[in-house]
Amino acid sequence: MLPKKHRLVARMTATAMLAAGTAAAVALPATAETVTPQTEVTAEADPMLQAMQRDLGLTAQEAQQRLEQESVARTLDETLRAKLQDNFGGSYYDADTGTLVVGVTEASALDDVRAAGAKAKLVDASIDELNTAVDRLDRKESSAPESVTGWYVDVKNNSVVVTTAPGTAAQAEKFVAASGVDGDNVEIVESTEQPRTFMDVIGGNAYYMGNGGRCSVGFTVQGGFVTAGHCGTTGTSTSSPSGTFAGSSFPGNDYAFVRTGSGDTLRPWVNMYNGSARIVSGSSVAPVGSSICRSGSTTGWHCGQVQAFNQTVRYAEGTVTGLTRTNVCAEPGDSGGSFISGNQAQGMTSGGSGNCTFGGTTYFQPVNEVLSAYNLRLITG
């Protein structure tokens, strides 16, 4: 086997679909103006559970159990991140065992993780060290060869993965070395991914830009909604609903805030494209390995799994950092749409590769970043 920094992995676009979420749903009648929440949703009729069964091959009971386990894992993850601090080496939800796996850099911290109810794993690099490596690559992004499509933190393998076109690993390795990143913490992966932004049509409910394009509402916030930054620049007007891009960041980030009119009714829901909607109750971050679903009018409601945080993606329009990587499928036009895990808002569709016929990789902009950037408050139910 080649040393870690030289190891090559031929990867086709992802095809596996998983699912996400536990929370109540609301029924969506023909018009959004008259939508009312359902008072009760049985497990058999819950659209989230149905999507999990379809995409994960689970029974209704298995899907329900997974959602309950992931809810526990999210809370435990927040607790251990704060407790371990510099010793925290990343975490992920293990669907096979239904437990949270937490990496630590010091053997003395293993017992703390186990005592909290998670599985402990001794790793070489802390999450801070891995994120620092990503930051260094970001600073040298302009010198990266065109063959390199991005990089991200792989918490399962305690490394930073750099993706590059087939046959170009040597070029990627030179870029990593020139960036001053420790090669022992980097894995070069040859991949057929060709990321692009999803901008032509919507994900979630549609809105239209003044230039004639359309994107999708991500999540409602006080005063309007958040979406993808590449959908419009500050000052761009929108219709259905009518509004204006009050702030937008792309490239670098991929988020925007659209301020809507006072006559609009802002709902804490995500369209599931089956006559129902998911209620949003917060924005706690789901660990790597968690199930997650995406809403988009081009391809409907699709689910998958959180694969990695802090993904840097080199789109033709510019590089975006700090994205989250998933194996949920998406297609052009799904940009800006909602990513949700359980009843927790996760982010807005940015771009990716592949499609919903053969599967693919999709990245999203974490929602908490745009909430902080523009001092916004999520609408919750």
Side-chain angles (χ1 to χ4, degrees), residues 299-336:
T299 55
W301 177 260
H302 285 275
C303 300
Q305 188 176 26
V306 178
Q307 294 183 314
F309 297 137
N310 205 3
Q311 163 87 55
T312 296
V313 178
R314 303 182 73 214
Y315 295 124
E317 299 88 342
T319 296
V320 179
T321 64
L323 299 178
T324 298
R325 180 186 184 91
T326 76
N327 62 359
V328 185
C329 71
E331 295 182 9
D334 286 333
S335 280

Side-chain angles (χ1 to χ4, degrees), residues 2 19 61 68 79 115 189 213 236-237 257 264 371:
L2 294 173
Q61 182 178 1
E68 293 169 356
T79 300
V189 176
T236 298
S237 62
F257 166 49
D264 294 314
L371 297 180

Side-chain angles (χ1 to χ4, degrees), residues 173-326:
E173 183 183 340
K174 291 180 181 179
F175 164 63
V176 170
S179 299
V181 173
D182 184 355
D184 289 339
N185 291 334
V186 176
E187 180 183 358
I188 306 297
V189 176
E190 292 191 344
S191 169
T192 58
E193 295 177 12
Q194 294 181 327
R196 64 195 188 282
T197 50
F198 297 133
M199 185 171 178
D200 298 334
V201 285
I202 71 164
N205 284 350
Y207 70 92
Y208 299 81
M209 284 78 74
N211 59 11
R214 40 174 193 157
C215 276
S216 61
V217 174
F219 298 96
T220 55
V221 297
Q222 290 293 337
F225 62 88
V226 292
T227 185
H230 71 260
C231 291
T233 58
T234 300
T236 298
S237 62
T238 69
S239 60
S240 300
S242 60
T244 303
F245 276 71
S248 180
S249 180
F250 178 85
N253 304 296
D254 196 3
Y255 58 65
F257 166 49
V258 176
R259 182 175 288 114
T260 57
S262 59
D264 294 314
T265 301
L266 302 174
R267 305 288 192 182
W269 302 332
V270 173
N271 194 345
M272 300 176 73
Y273 286 92
N274 63 354
S276 298
R278 203 70 179 168
I279 296 176
V280 177
S281 63
S283 58
S284 295
V285 177
V288 168
S290 298
S291 52
I292 194 167
C293 290
R294 178 195 55 75
S295 178
S297 68
T298 304
T299 55
W301 177 260
H302 285 275
C303 300
Q305 188 176 26
V306 178
Q307 294 183 314
F309 297 137
N310 205 3
Q311 163 87 55
T312 296
V313 178
R314 303 182 73 214
Y315 295 124
E317 299 88 342
T319 296
V320 179
T321 64
L323 299 178
T324 298
R325 180 186 184 91
T326 76

